[in-house]
Amino acid sequence: MTENVRVRFAPSPTGYLHVGGARTALFNWLFARKHGGKFLLRIEDTDMLRSEGAMVDEILHSLRWLGLDWDEGPFYQSERFDLYNAAVERLLAEGKAYYCFCDAERLKSMREEARKRGRAFRYDRRCLKLPEHEREKLLAQGVPKAVRFFVPEGTTTITDAVHGAATFEHKEIGDFVIKKADGSPTYQLAVVVDDHDMRITHVIRGDDHFSNVPKQVMLYEALGYEPPQFAHLPLILAPNRAKLSKRNAAVAVSDYRNSGFMPEALRNFLALLGWSPGGNREIMTLEELIDAFSLDGINRSNAVFDVKKLEWMNCEYIRNLGRDELFTRVKPLLVDSGLIDDDFAAKNANWIKRVLVLLQDRVRKLTDYPEAARYFFTTDFDYDERGVRKHFKGAEILEIMKSLRERFARAEELSLETIETTIRGLAEEHGIRAGKVIHPTRLACTGRTVGPSLFHLVEVLGKERVLERLDNAIEFLKSDVNDGKPKASEE
């Protein structure tokens, strides 16, 4: 059933968008786009105490950041109570539901007793057996009441796109609440009414909802609705096979957004959690994901959230960014870090792009850029302590740095060829390996012992900046390292 596909993502605004929820949204979105259908967004905010408007905004922002646009909605369940109440009244009138006046204390006691006996809690139908006059009396007195669905005898069989055929015994379920005593609908009722009203054809959601299927199918049948096709996705586990939680991984999409992961990378990574496109493909464009996606490719086994793989994938996406796009994404991070301001960025955009491209293979996340590129924008850095001990020792180093500074100063421009010829020529004159010049020069220019190719680094820094850094290093080498002059620090 893929004609006129209509799917939905229905988060509860009681917290941030979880990566598991994002994966569910992505699978629904891919399925809709693959079949030319509609992707609906529904906010399940019937839990008035726990739902927060700020969380709705955060969920919408995270979905947009991932590039998951919706065709209809967002619809809010809190604005649809009339529909739910009408469905409840209909079930009551047809004898398919009944009022339950049991208070919380009695229900708690029953649950505790069931737990002690090692049994699942099932309501004993006490209120179903109430005489009519007693029921009317309780109603007239305004005693708080819930509404329970009367579970008929028999079984419910469904065919899930992932699990296959499954049969549920009704005797194991028990009459369940469809309307709470505070007047709000339960999840089981609201989701059925909404999915029917919104003409949802496929319900694609997490495996933790699989146990809800028989209750919902019974409600579909009781209300005369045609059930949708179900597809329950495997759970996402932490690397230690425990349930994914804040204790073993970041779980909110916003955590990854704020940590410098690219939306394309996270989206690509999530798509491969529990689904296989075939052909051992991993890095895939959005168009390729849409074209390859199918419910048949969803695995039954649980998926593992491997952050290291996500980081690798993020690196690949960063490496493939064009210089202009790279600048667009990283510039705000450089501004926020205080390394540059908007005016400097506007006047020096081309140079900044050269800096970013030079470091493109050396960052794992976009947020790595401010620290990785810091020495390009300021001379306020310390020299790596181990680097000083290794590369700034010996009287000859001071003379080498002075000579290098003089030769760079005389050069018309610091081209790659000029830089390499000068450094290698200086090493040859002193009868030392080129590394004996390269490493001190890197330390002088950056304060660090590792980084991109020194020749490219010096070229991008430019003559003026390089001379300034060499001057600072020469002063440092002239002085006693511990006399309060420029400091060396452990990185």
Side-chain angles (χ1 to χ4, degrees), residues 145-201:
K145 61 187 183 301
V147 177
R148 289 184 180 274
F149 179 74
F150 178 79
V151 175
E153 294 182 358
T155 61
T156 290
T157 299
I158 63 130
T159 299
D160 186 88
V162 178
H163 287 270
T167 298
F168 303 87
E169 296 282 346
H170 290 185
K171 63 182 180 181
E172 301 297 329
I173 298 173
D175 298 350
F176 54 93
V177 175
I178 57 175
K179 185 177 182 178
K180 301 174 187 177
D182 64 5
S184 63
T186 62
Y187 167 78
Q188 307 293 2
L189 178 85
V191 71
V192 168
V193 172
D194 282 339
D195 284 346
H196 169 73
D197 183 66
M198 297 174 185
R199 308 188 309 284
I200 300 301
T201 59

Side-chain angles (χ1 to χ4, degrees), residues 298-316:
I298 298 175
N299 305 316
R300 293 187 64 174
S301 57
N302 292 329
V304 174
F305 196 98
D306 185 349
V307 175
K308 290 184 178 179
K309 183 173 181 179
L310 172 58
E311 289 178 346
W312 165 80
M313 195 169 279
N314 199 59
C315 288
E316 293 298 308

Side-chain angles (χ1 to χ4, degrees), residues 73-308:
F75 302 102
Y76 293 85
Q77 285 189 333
S78 58
E79 300 173 356
R80 299 169 60 82
F81 272 43
D82 287 348
L83 281 174
Y84 312 139
N85 288 333
V88 170
E89 291 303 319
R90 179 178 157 193
L91 292 172
L92 285 168
E94 296 176 1
K96 298 174 181 176
Y98 59 92
Y99 291 116
C100 178
F101 301 94
C102 294
D103 58 26
E105 194 60 36
R106 179 174 189 270
L107 295 174
K108 179 181 178 182
S109 176
M110 291 175 64
R111 288 192 179 91
E112 183 62 24
E113 183 63 25
R115 187 189 65 78
K116 289 179 181 178
R117 294 174 177 270
R119 299 175 181 174
F121 167 72
R122 284 188 290 278
Y123 183 63
D124 61 3
R125 289 184 169 175
R126 172 184 177 182
C127 290
L128 176 66
K129 303 168 187 174
L130 286 174
E132 183 64 25
H133 71 277
E134 188 171 342
R135 184 179 300 108
E136 292 299 326
K137 179 181 178 181
L138 292 170
L139 289 172
Q141 292 175 343
V143 175
K145 61 187 183 301
V147 177
R148 289 184 180 274
F149 179 74
F150 178 79
V151 175
E153 294 182 358
T155 61
T156 290
T157 299
I158 63 130
T159 299
D160 186 88
V162 178
H163 287 270
T167 298
F168 303 87
E169 296 282 346
H170 290 185
K171 63 182 180 181
E172 301 297 329
I173 298 173
D175 298 350
F176 54 93
V177 175
I178 57 175
K179 185 177 182 178
K180 301 174 187 177
D182 64 5
S184 63
T186 62
Y187 167 78
Q188 307 293 2
L189 178 85
V191 71
V192 168
V193 172
D194 282 339
D195 284 346
H196 169 73
D197 183 66
M198 297 174 185
R199 308 188 309 284
I200 300 301
T201 59
H202 296 73
V203 170
I204 304 170
R205 59 190 179 185
D207 213 31
D208 50 335
H209 285 289
F210 190 66
S211 61
N212 291 322
V213 172
K215 295 178 181 179
Q216 291 168 11
V217 169
M218 281 189 276
L219 283 170
Y220 275 108
E221 293 175 348
L223 290 166
Y225 302 159
E226 179 182 355
Q229 169 68 58
F230 291 99
H232 287 84
L233 312 176
L235 298 179
I236 301 176
L237 304 179
N240 62 359
R241 295 282 173 176
K243 183 178 180 182
L244 194 65
S245 69
K246 291 182 178 179
R247 291 189 299 274
N248 48 40
V251 296
V253 169
S254 55
D255 290 335
Y256 292 95
R257 182 182 72 231
N258 297 336
S259 296
F261 286 89
M262 290 177 55
E264 298 92 334
L266 182 58
R267 187 174 60 209
N268 191 161
F269 175 76
L270 291 176
L272 301 179
L273 287 180
W275 170 72
S276 173
N280 295 318
R281 288 179 288 176
E282 291 192 305
I283 302 296
M284 300 176 67
T285 66
L286 191 57
E287 291 72 24
E288 289 171 335
L289 288 172
I290 293 171
D291 183 64
F293 189 79
S294 73
L295 298 181
D296 293 337
I298 298 175
N299 305 316
R300 293 187 64 174
S301 57
N302 292 329
V304 174
F305 196 98
D306 185 349
V307 175
K308 290 184 178 179

Side-chain angles (χ1 to χ4, degrees), residues 356-374:
L356 301 182
V357 170
L358 181 65
L359 299 170
Q360 201 164 3
D361 290 339
R362 308 189 68 84
V363 296
R364 302 183 70 82
K365 298 178 288 186
L366 294 177
T367 46
D368 292 342
Y369 260 112
E371 178 57 27
R374 187 174 184 274

Side-chain angles (χ1 to χ4, degrees), residues 386-398:
R386 285 169 293 185
V388 168
R389 292 197 299 266
K390 186 173 182 180
H391 304 302
F392 272 5
K393 67 180 181 179
E396 189 179 31
I397 292 299
L398 176 57

